[in-house]
Each structure stands twice: as structure tokens, then as C-alpha cells.
Amino acid sequence: MTQAQLPDPEQLAVRILRRERAAVASGLNLLDNKLAAARQRSAGLLAALSGERALNDGHLIGVTGPPGAGKSSLVSAMIREWRLAGRTVGVLAVDPSSRPELGGGALLGDRIRIKNAAYDEGLFIRSLANRNQLGGVATEVWPMSWLMLACFDIVVVETVGVGQTEIDIAEIGDTICYVAQPASGDTIQYLKSGIIEIPDVFAVNKSDLGAPAHKTASEISRSAPRQDRRDDWDYPVCLVSATMNTGIQQLHAHFDRHRSFLAAAGLLGKLRARHQSAWVVRVLKEEFGTFGIELVGGYAEIGRRLNETSTNQFEECERLRQQIISRFKSSD
Amino acid sequence: MDSLQTKRDRPWLMRTYSGHSSAKASNTLYRTNLAKGQTGLSVAFDLPTQTGYDADSPLARGEVGKVGVPISHIEDMDQLFDQIPLDQMNTAMTINATAPWLLSLYIGLAQRRGIDPKQLSGTTQNDIIKEYLSRGTYIYPPGPSMRLIADTINYTVKHVPKWNPTNICSYHLQEAGATPVQELAYALCTAMAVLDRVQASGEIKPGEFSQVVERISFFVNAGIRFVEECCKLRAFGEMWDELTLRRYQVEDPKLRRFRYGVQVNSLGLTEPQPENNVQRIVLEMLAVSLSKSARARAIQLPAWNEAMGLPRPWDQQWALRMQQVLAFETDLLEYGDILDGSPVIAAKVKQLVEGARKEIENVEAQGGIIAAIESGYVKRELVGSHMQRLRAIESGELKIIGVNCFQETAESPLTLGSDGGIMKTDPAAEREQIERLQAHRKNRNDGEVQAALQGLDDAARCGENIMPSSIRCALAGVTTGEWGDSLRAVFGEFRPPTGIDIAIDSRAVLGKKDQVTELRARVASTGEALGRPLKLLVGKPGLDGHSNGAEQVAVKARDVGFEVVYDGIRLTPQQIAQAAEEEGVHMVGLSILSGSHMELVASVLEELRLRDLAKLPVIAGGIIPQEDGTKLAALGVSAVYTPKDFSFNSIMADMVDVIREANGLGRLGPLP
């Protein structure tokens, strides 16, 4: 893509806030673009979409769980329910890439599993490959979620959860939902692995299986409450069936309740600001390593600078990048 | 006649799979074919009829009368069989998800003509399992689909006893890439699933169950490796005999016979030097006729030009004459089984039986064929086998004359005619069918229609056999779309596993290794130049469900480094354009085999323009005649790939170049 074809970030932001689908698509393409000129414009776009509103509007929900738990079918059932309630939905569906030595390509199959048959203006799905990035979620996901929050009522990020990934998704979603599969070793492994404190809501799928689903639900209930984490949140375990379309409204009620809980406790904006900082640090570290971080004064200094610009850290991030690059050059 | 010769056997039923444009045009064709010595009919239905839509449904656009005849209601059925005596005809219908409905129209028509349904003989394909795996004309989820199959069996055994209610198909498994062992195993697993379902329905008394087993027939494929294929059919016979005895306690050996019909392989037919397909077809026919003990009951042969487009009446006549020469001129039918006692044949049969048994056990351990389909296991296995085959062709290990070797050819006089050597369907057919349908809706008694549909809905909900209420619907003038929609409302629709989530097998040769390395480098560097990895959307517009080609392109593109969004089958042009926009892809790949490429591709391009994506490159693949390819290019399609483009690596290299050109980068040219 030549520079002439890159969109003007200010104008694009205006169109995105008007919820124009073509603008959303072109904004996501821009955020994915690694050319130097595109990066500048990306930062501009995100800055234009930032501000107080970005820290308080919409609901960003991370959905994770082991392969085969039926995440995509569940997301599909959830979308149907949200759309019936008149809420617009943006989805970022993340699938793994093949290893770099095998070409690094990816088959993105979530779209076909998630979408409903009919054409729907209120639903927007973007599939993403994780591109073998450490932790399983591509760094592009956070800025893309940010963009989608500007124009959809609900934004869902779906990832395959295999161990480490949950830690990343925890640094993205306002609410994290873990989808468990009844009678499967994965859930037990998960409970043992110590990352049980990450999800806010548990959905035990395939509840039509009966006893095994109830057993899994009670196993999770016994392990889940970790009162030390967020005061007064009850970590609900919800029985759902994506295929029978049962329990979805209850699951949504838990999501809404969790969001209200965060907002009432004054946690929502803080959480998003923290996630934003975590992303900035991750991006800088991935690109420049610890040495690069040190060039701008280390983690503490970066944290301080980001805190001062909590509603709009994307431009600060770009400034930090430029500083690191120029110091790299001068240290040659 | 010397002492070795027996009385000359009666030949098999000779059919030609045909139907196009309209009931009227197809009726003319059938009567011509029968006059030429064809002894049975094989009806090809168009895709809207196969998937339960009326001709005026938005999804049917461009598909009406393309791959077969449109049958929307009983008057169409009447016209299709005009001057053809139903009680004397043996009619095979390639119909699956809507099989109970088309059979109801046939029975309803017989009743209207005063013919006792007990006199009707023929076959409804009615095997939904292979639709999930390969052919793609499913509608409902597995549970209700199996029930519909069981309903037709339970009904016909009692009321249309000469009918073959289901034809278990291994044919399409082979087209989807199955090896002979997989073909044996999955077809027999399917038969077990059907019989178990009928048994569980409790409608048949235990003493009468052997009659159900007797009515189960098979539809088999025969490929070019004809010794192996010959053995495969002997293995089928042995295994069916054993299975029906052990599992279903059928004591009478006659009722345990493996009865099958054949369409020989279309997968191996080539577009380059298409005349070579004649000898392929003849050799494949030998595989299913040589063994007297495992000979086909009915044979239909494809025409030599099927890889190019729809065959003309003369092409179909040629295929029929091949059968007649074998049956009436040669001495094949004068002898007993000429392969009995051959140690080579016996050993090969044994090997296939053992392999199939192992795979059957494997599927049974997963909970049977339905569970193995729902988990995606079977589809993955088939896509894997198919990929191996394509890789072998590409590497030259598997030789295909005229395609990857001996490509030199003089110009073929067969394709020089003004029609390009293929049949054109009537472009007015769709409009005429819609007019006919709308006139029909006005002429019928609405009260009767509503009552009949209510009866259908009740039967579907309470588990009553679907056939009596469907026959009532047929007689009341209900349409195919109304029947399909009524059951959709009760049963829901099926979402298939795609089979494309197979891992890259790094050991397998992906075509030529150095070419793959070069391709990966080109995909990566082009992605870097554009700022993000190359992203491709692959989808099938229209109703054609043959997804093998689209799946192979998706898997191959992933293997060389593309990020591929696979969006599956039965998409409207609007959905494809929407997906292209939402996903931010660099290219859209469309696969169409039903002949409706002109209409569908034009609609996709129009939808893309509406979204300001006019510059997004679109490529198309499928059975697309050269003349149409030129027209598509004029419409703005960047590249058209047809069966003659067997090298996936070359296709991928070209795709990268198309993306480069569309973005102002130079082409990198053919692979070294």
C-alpha cells in the first residue's frame, strides 16, 4: 500500500464514530499495517478515538477456553441474543498461526462458525492470526479492540486458551469469560494451573449433557472464589448450551452485572488505562527489548509518563518509540 | 457356445445422469435417451430443488436449471415424466436432503395417474452423510436428517416395496479424496448408522427387518486404478455379507447381496486433451463389470467433456454406446466370475478388507460415523487424503496423461465446434421457471395448501412418519421451498465442520520443496511491502456444495503463508462482499462448479463496488469454459483457474502476482 492510499486519521475517526462499516474496516487495516507511515497514522487514529469516553463506554469481553469447548458456537448464540436486544456487536476472533518455519500462515475458521446465516448490519467480525507472538494474542488485538469499542456496544475478543494465553486476554478484557467443556481433562488442568483467578465469569457449555456439566460446574465453583482479587465480585459459574440456546440470557446478565460492578467501584476506567499501559510496555519490549526500555528510563519512568496521559497513551507510545529509535541511532 | 460358457447374463441397467433447464426440456432428453436404448432414467435435479428452495428464492439466483432440472411442484414432476409410464420405468433420483419430498411428488403423481405405488421401482439417493462430507446439499442437522432417511425406508418397505429408499454413497467420498480403504469403511459405517436408526425407530417388526436390509443399496465410484477398484467391489460384497449376517442376523444369503449402482470417476477426468477421458471411462467401467460376483446392477457413465462443462445429447449417447458395446458385443456376459481363484486378486481383497475393518473399528470407537463427522474427524481424514493426491500429481509421482506428462497435443477437432464442445443451458430457463412457479401458486387451493403444510409441521414435531403428510402436500400443490422451509422451522439448519483445520504436515512434500520455499518467501516479502501479512478470503457463492476445491486452495494458501479466512458454502454475493470488507483481505477467491459462475461472479463484483472495494482483486476457480473465462476477465476478474491448472504452486505464485499488481508492485513471474 502506498502512502497516498493511507486514510487521513482524523477524518477516519469521525466516520468510525458515525459507525460507518467501511471506515471501521479501513481503520482495522490501518492498525494492522506495519509500514512506518501507517504507524504514525495509527497512533493519530487511536488518539482521535481516545479520551474519557474511551475509558468508560461499551463493554469489552474476552472469551477463552480450551479447543473443542464450543467457544465459537457459544459466541454465535451470544451474538444472536445481543442482536435481539438491539445491541451492536464487534468480534475479534483470534486463531493460531502455523510456525514461522512452516510458512507462518493461518486458517481463520471462526468466522464461518460464528456468523449467522442472515446479513446483519449490526455485527462486524474480524478474524486475526496470532502470528506466533509470545502469549498467543497478537499485539494488534488491543488497539483493534479500542477502535471497535468506539463504535459497537459490545466487543468480543475470542481466543483459544492454552495456558499462557489467558494471561494476555486478562490484559485486554473488562470481563473475562472462561468457557469450560464438561467431562474434559482441560478444565481440571486449568483449575490446577493457578490461572483460575483470571476469569470473572465461567460458562460451562454443553449443559445438555446433564450430569457431567453439573459436575464440572461444581468443581469450578469450589475453586473459583478468590476473594482476595476483586472485592465483592462473586465469580459466577453459569450452565449454558450453545446448541440448545439455553442459559445465554443468564450469562449476559452476569456480564452486565460485572460491568456495573466495575463502573460502580470506579474500576472500569482504571482497568482500561492499566491494560493500555501493559500494551504499550509489551509493544516497546517486543520491538526494542529491555535495552530499549532502559534507553527511555526503564519501566518506572514509562509507567509515570503513561499515567500522566491515562486517557490517551497511544500518542505517548509513539513518542516513546521515536525517542528509543533516535537514541539507538545516536548510540551507534 | 463351449462348455465354459454359461447362459448369457442379463446386462445391468444403463442410465445417463441428466436433466437441465426445465422439466419440459429434460423430458425431451429422457425420451430421446430411452429411444437410443437406455434402460433406466437417472434424474439430475438443480441445486435449489436439492436444497429445498423455490426458484424465486434469493439464494437460487443463477442456479435454476443449471446442474439439473428444477422441480418446484407436482406439475413440474408431471411434465418431467410426460409420456413416460411410471409403472414400467426404473427411475433413479440423485436427491438427498429433499429426498422424502421428491419421492412424495413421484408417488403423488403415480396416484394421480391411477398407478398403484407398489408398481413403482427406482432409487432415491437419500444419503445425507456424504452430503456433510463432500457434496454439500444438506439442509438439516444429523439427528433430523437420519430420521427423514429412516422415515422413507419405513414407508417404502411397506408401501412402495420395489423402491430402493436409500443409496449409500461411497461415490462422493472418493471424489472428496477417500482411499479405497476409507471408501469401504465410511460407506459401511454409514449403512450401519442408517440400519441402526431404522431398527431403533421400532416401526419394523424384528422378523421383517431382513427386508429392510435387502432394500439397502449402494452407489459406488470406480477410479482409474482398475485392478484395485475391482478388488474394492469384491471387498464390499464380502464385508456387507458378513456385516448383515453378524450385526443384523439376516439368514437368507440372497438378502445379504451387495447391490450397487455406479457412476465412474469424474475426479480423474481432465480438461486438457479431453478425448483421453473416453479410455479412462471405459477402463473404469471394466472395474465394476469384470467380476460376475460383484458386478454393478446399474451403470451410468460420465461424458468425455464433463471437466469442460455440461455434456450435449451426442456426448451422452457416446457414453451410453460404451456400455452397449461392452454388454452386447463383447463376450463378458457369457462367463462365470473370471477372477475367482486368482491369488493376486484374493490377496488384494484381503488387504482392503483388513484395512477397512481397522478404520471401521476406529470410527465405532469414536461413537459411530455421526459422531466422527460432528467432531470433524472424517472430514479431516478426507481433506488430508485429497491433499496427498494433489501433491502427488504436482510432484509428478502420480502421472496423468496430458496433464502433468505428455502434454504435447495436436488441436482436438472435438472442441472446435461453435459450441466449444459443450452444452449451453437455456438462459431464459430461470425466468420461465419462476413465472411458471408464480402462476402455479395462484392456481392452487390455498386452504388445502395450508392444511397440508400444517399436517407436515405436526408430523415433523411429533415424530410421526413424514411421508404420508408429504404426499398430501404434493397432491395439494405445495412447493419445494415451502416443504423445505416448514421442516427448517422445526429442525433447524446444519453447520458443517470444514475439515480445513488440519495441521501442516511438514514431512509431506508440498509439491516441489524448493518451489514452496520460494513461494513462502514471496508471500512474506509481499506482505512486508504492503505492511501486513497477505490475507485471502475463500468462499463459495450460490448453492453448489462441492467444497473440495475451495478447501484445497485454502489449505494450500495457508501452507505457503497466507492468512486465510475460509467462509464455506452457500453464500450470497452480499455475504461474500461483506466478509471481504470486514476481514480486510487482499484478495477474494471464489469457487463455483455449478455453471452459474457468470451470474454469481458478476453479483459479487457489483456488491464489492457498492462497498468501495472495486479495486480488490477477485479470482475464480471451477468448471469454467474458456469462453466464459474471457468474459469474466472483461468483467474485472483478475484470474480464472480451471481443472487444467493442476499445479497448486503455480496458482499460488500467480495469486501473489495478482495481489502485487493490484497494489502497484511488479509481478515476480513464474516459479523457477
Side-chain angles (χ1 to χ4, degrees):
Chain A
M1 198 178 284
T2 56
Q3 198 169 335
Q5 289 169 289
L6 290 173
D8 175 77
E10 309 286 330
Q11 285 172 11
L12 196 57
V14 171
R15 291 175 56 208
I16 288 170
L17 289 170
R18 283 204 306 253
R19 301 185 167 202
E20 282 181 32
R21 303 178 66 86
V24 175
S26 136
L28 293 173
N29 294 351
L30 181 64
L31 296 181
D32 205 10
N33 196 323
K34 297 294 175 302
L35 297 179
R39 292 190 87 122
Q40 289 280 354
R41 283 165 193 252
S42 286
L45 172 64
L46 290 163
L49 294 172
S50 294
E52 281 301 324
R53 189 201 46 77
L55 289 181
N56 296 301
D57 279 6
H59 193 182
L60 181 52
I61 299 171
V63 177
T64 188
K71 291 178 299 297
S72 303
S73 315
L74 183 60
V75 168
S76 178
M78 296 193 315
I79 290 168
R80 209 160 40 231
E81 206 59 47
W82 276 317
R83 295 297 300 129
L84 282 174
R87 298 212 249 181
T88 59
V89 185
V91 180
L92 289 169
V94 186
D95 267 327
S97 300
S98 59
R99 297 201 306 277
E101 67 273 25
L102 295 177
L107 274 171
L108 309 172
D110 282 332
R111 180 179 193 87
I112 186 173
R113 290 188 281 262
I114 290 174
K115 67 170 179 191
N116 291 306
Y119 173 77
D120 183 357
E121 285 281 342
L123 171 64
F124 193 109
I125 303 169
R126 169 68 59 113
S127 314
L128 275 175
N130 73 10
R131 296 173 187 165
N132 292 296
Q133 292 176 36
L134 201 68
V137 178
T139 39
E140 292 82 11
V141 171
W142 172 255
M144 287 187 178
S145 315
W146 193 262
L147 184 155
M148 281 191 159
L149 269 177
C151 50
F152 296 102
D153 300 335
I154 307 276
V155 176
V156 176
V157 177
E158 187 202 326
T159 64
V160 174
V162 272
Q164 183 68 30
T165 314
E166 284 82 355
I167 294 171
D168 288 333
I169 193 79
E171 287 183 344
I172 290 174
D174 305 331
T175 302
I176 306 302
C177 172
Y178 179 82
V179 183
Q181 149 137 293
S184 130
D186 299 316
T187 303
I188 309 300
Q189 283 304 320
Y190 184 77
L191 294 173
K192 281 186 193 160
S193 70
I195 32 184
I196 182 80
E197 58 259 45
I198 285 163
D200 305 294
V201 177
F202 295 85
V204 178
N205 198 8
K206 307 184 187 177
S207 64
D208 43 308
L209 291 177
H214 287 277
K215 183 161 173 279
T216 301
S218 67
E219 277 166 1
I220 295 175
S221 301
R222 275 200 302 279
S223 327
R226 294 283 297 244
Q227 303 298 342
D228 52 319
R229 207 171 135 232
R230 284 177 197 156
D231 292 339
D232 303 325
W233 178 244
D234 57 2
Y235 301 92
V237 182
C238 194
L239 281 163
V240 297
S241 166
T243 47
M244 309 301 284
N245 203 20
T246 55
I248 311 296
Q249 285 178 349
Q250 289 86 333
L251 183 60
H252 283 185
H254 289 307
F255 290 160
D256 291 346
R257 202 162 56 79
H258 185 249
R259 195 193 181 286
S260 310
F261 157 78
L262 290 176
L267 292 170
L268 186 62
K270 281 184 196 156
L271 191 67
R272 286 187 186 170
R274 201 168 72 221
H275 290 168
Q276 209 178 2
S277 304
W279 175 80
V280 171
V281 170
R282 192 177 151 193
V283 166
L284 294 178
K285 197 177 166 199
E286 238 168 54
E287 196 175 357
F288 306 109
T290 314
F291 178 70
I293 302 273
E294 290 304 322
L295 286 180
V296 283
Y299 290 113
E301 172 61 13
I302 293 173
R304 191 193 60 74
R305 284 175 59 176
L306 290 174
N307 264 336
E308 282 177 6
T309 53
S310 69
T311 56
N312 180 7
Q313 302 177 353
F314 295 104
E315 281 190 321
E316 190 61 28
C317 176
E318 199 49 36
R319 272 195 290 278
L320 284 161
R321 279 191 73 239
Q322 295 309 330
Q323 277 173 19
I324 296 173
I325 290 168
S326 71
R327 280 173 204 176
F328 258 124
K329 283 180 182 154
S330 62
S331 67
D332 275 347
Chain B
M1 195 181 271
D2 65 46
S3 62
L4 283 172
Q5 290 168 319
T6 59
K7 194 171 135 273
R8 201 176 170 90
D9 288 322
R10 232 175 51 173
W12 50 88
L13 274 172
M14 300 181 191
R15 313 186 209 262
T16 312
Y17 181 55
S18 54
H20 68 91
S21 300
S22 68
K24 197 170 177 197
S26 302
N27 174 263
T28 309
L29 177 66
Y30 292 172
R31 285 192 285 131
T32 316
N33 284 350
L34 289 169
K36 286 177 181 164
Q38 191 173 293
T39 50
L41 289 176
S42 171
V43 183
F45 295 99
D46 74 353
L47 288 166
T49 308
Q50 293 189 51
T51 49
Y53 294 105
D54 278 335
D56 55 357
S57 153
L59 265 171
R61 199 172 147 208
E63 303 278 18
V64 179
K66 280 279 163 36
V67 302
V69 57
I71 297 293
S72 303
H73 46 80
I74 194 164
E75 305 308 334
D76 287 344
M77 197 59 128
D78 191 32
Q79 204 167 53
L80 185 65
F81 289 95
D82 182 36
Q83 299 173 59
I84 296 174
L86 296 185
D87 48 350
Q88 291 161 42
M89 187 42 58
N90 188 307
T91 305
M93 302 188 207
T94 299
I95 197 72
N96 294 281
T98 53
W101 172 239
L102 274 298
L103 179 58
S104 295
L105 289 172
Y106 197 71
I107 294 172
L109 179 63
Q111 288 178 357
R112 222 168 69 168
R113 292 187 183 176
I115 295 164
D116 182 354
K118 288 204 160 54
Q119 301 301 315
L120 298 178
S121 65
T123 306
T124 33
Q125 193 163 79
N126 204 18
D127 167 11
I128 213 71
I129 290 181
K130 60 94 174 52
E131 298 295 330
Y132 295 139
L133 293 172
S134 158
R135 204 166 159 274
T137 68
Y138 51 78
I139 306 176
Y140 314 110
S145 293
M146 292 304 285
R147 176 204 152 175
L148 292 178
I149 295 172
D151 280 358
T152 47
I153 295 174
N154 284 327
Y155 186 84
T156 54
V157 165
K158 288 176 198 151
H159 304 286
V160 201
K162 291 191 334 198
W163 198 263
N164 298 312
T166 178
N167 220 344
I168 308 289
C169 296
S170 78
Y171 178 86
H172 310 83
L173 301 177
Q174 186 177 105
E175 298 282 300
T179 61
V181 163
Q182 288 174 327
E183 221 187 308
L184 282 162
Y186 301 148
L188 293 172
C189 285
T190 303
M192 283 191 267
V194 169
L195 286 172
D196 290 354
R197 183 68 181 72
V198 173
Q199 213 163 28
S201 76
E203 281 194 46
I204 307 286
K205 292 186 199 117
E208 290 164 9
F209 196 70
S210 51
Q211 289 166 25
V212 174
V213 173
E214 197 239 337
R215 288 327 300 169
I216 301 293
S217 56
F218 290 77
F219 186 61
V220 179
N221 203 332
I224 194 70
R225 293 174 55 81
F226 82 97
V227 177
E228 191 177 42
E229 294 292 60
C230 201
C231 295
K232 177 184 80 185
L233 289 153
R234 296 173 80 93
F236 254 129
E238 256 180 47
M239 294 183 82
W240 183 243
D241 184 71
E242 183 191 299
L243 188 133
T244 49
L245 179 65
R246 296 244 173 102
R247 195 178 174 106
Y248 302 108
Q249 288 84 43
V250 178
E251 299 295 338
D252 184 351
K254 270 195 218 149
L255 304 183
R256 298 200 305 264
R257 269 192 211 145
F258 180 74
R259 299 182 312 126
Y260 72 99
V262 173
Q263 160 97 15
V264 306
N265 191 296
S266 292
L267 179 68
L269 300 186
T270 63
E271 187 187 354
Q273 303 180 31
E275 62 279 2
N276 294 341
N277 293 327
V278 171
Q279 47 269 33
R280 292 192 181 101
I281 293 165
V282 169
L283 289 168
E284 289 165 353
M285 173 171 56
L286 281 183
V288 298
S289 54
L290 278 184
S291 314
K292 179 171 175 169
S293 61
R295 188 171 288 152
R297 300 291 176 114
I299 298 181
Q300 49 193 40
L301 299 180
W304 65 280
N305 53 355
E306 268 204 12
M308 299 158 56
L310 268 188
R312 301 157 300 182
W314 176 76
D315 306 312
Q316 295 200 337
Q317 175 189 314
W318 194 358
L320 175 65
R321 297 290 184 248
M322 292 176 200
Q323 296 202 47
Q324 290 168 330
V325 168
L326 180 68
F328 303 125
E329 288 188 20
T330 77
D331 56 353
L332 178 69
L333 295 180
E334 293 170 14
Y335 293 92
D337 195 302
I338 58 174
L339 298 172
D340 271 352
S342 155
V344 177
I345 295 286
K348 183 70 195 175
V349 170
K350 184 158 175 271
Q351 183 198 29
L352 292 172
V353 169
E354 280 166 6
R357 279 207 189 111
K358 208 176 277 172
E359 187 57 16
I360 290 174
E361 277 168 31
N362 183 10
V363 170
E364 292 292 290
Q366 296 179 44
I369 190 87
I370 303 276
I373 284 171
E374 284 179 329
S375 72
Y377 167 80
V378 183
K379 185 75 190 178
R380 267 197 306 280
E381 292 294 302
L382 292 179
V383 173
S385 296
H386 198 39
M387 202 72 200
Q388 292 296 344
R389 181 188 137 82
L390 294 177
R391 281 167 184 162
I393 294 174
E394 193 156 0
S395 69
E397 194 186 317
L398 187 67
K399 290 201 168 25
I400 301 191
I401 308 305
V403 174
N404 65 357
C405 57
F406 306 113
Q407 289 113 322
E408 305 71 16
T409 179
E411 199 166 15
S412 164
L414 282 178
T415 52
L416 284 182
S418 61
D419 56 2
I422 50 165
M423 162 106 170
K424 303 264 159 63
T425 51
D426 180 2
E430 181 159 322
R431 189 176 39 79
E432 284 167 16
Q433 181 66 13
I434 290 174
E435 284 166 7
R436 214 174 122 75
L437 171 67
Q438 290 174 346
H440 168 81
R441 287 207 195 100
K442 281 193 195 117
N443 286 335
R444 58 189 189 171
N445 179 325
D446 275 337
E448 274 175 34
V449 168
Q450 289 316 316
L453 284 171
Q454 187 59 50
L456 179 68
D457 183 90
D458 292 344
R461 283 181 204 281
C462 74
E464 193 181 289
N465 192 308
I466 208 78
M467 288 299 295
S469 57
S470 296
I471 295 170
R472 252 192 328 275
C473 286
L475 290 167
V478 164
T479 66
T480 299
E482 289 164 344
W483 187 89
D485 285 345
S486 293
L487 297 192
R488 275 187 188 91
V490 181
F491 297 146
E493 287 182 73
F494 180 64
R495 271 169 207 242
T498 58
I500 55 159
D501 44 351
I502 54 171
I504 296 180
D505 187 348
S506 52
R507 289 158 307 169
V509 189
L510 301 139
K512 292 181 183 144
K513 195 116 199 169
D514 46 344
Q515 287 197 340
V516 172
T517 310
E518 165 71 15
L519 267 171
R520 285 176 178 167
R522 287 186 182 189
V523 171
S525 67
T526 305
E528 272 157 34
L530 299 182
R532 59 197 176 98
L534 295 190
K535 198 172 180 186
L536 169 72
L537 175 74
V538 177
K540 285 180 68 65
L543 290 171
D544 162 37
H546 291 82
S547 53
N548 303 331
E551 286 156 5
Q552 296 301 334
V553 168
V555 170
K556 178 72 191 186
R558 186 274 312 261
D559 284 2
V560 299
F562 277 90
E563 294 183 354
V564 183
V565 181
Y566 179 70
D567 212 16
I569 66 167
R570 258 185 246 179
L571 303 163
T572 61
Q574 192 184 34
Q575 284 173 319
I576 289 175
Q578 187 186 12
E581 177 178 69
E582 288 181 15
E583 296 291 355
V585 293
H586 293 100
M587 171 184 271
V588 176
L590 305 174
S591 162
I592 307 165
L593 284 84
S594 65
S596 46
H597 42 268
M598 293 309 305
E599 296 88 339
L600 290 171
V601 173
S603 307
V604 170
L605 293 173
E606 179 55 32
E607 289 285 341
L608 286 172
R609 269 193 289 276
L610 289 175
R611 286 168 178 76
D612 249 357
L613 293 172
K615 287 190 186 138
L616 185 64
V618 174
I619 56 169
I623 311 264
I624 299 175
Q626 203 174 359
E627 188 191 332
D628 290 355
T630 314
K631 285 188 205 152
L632 288 174
L635 285 176
V637 171
S638 304
V640 174
Y641 307 108
T642 69
K644 73 174 187 304
D645 302 298
F646 70 93
S647 164
F648 267 75
N649 283 341
S650 306
I651 293 176
M652 293 295 141
D654 190 56
M655 281 163 53
V656 173
D657 276 348
V658 167
I659 293 177
R660 293 182 67 88
E661 244 179 354
N663 289 281
L665 301 169
R667 288 183 83 97
L668 298 171
L671 290 167

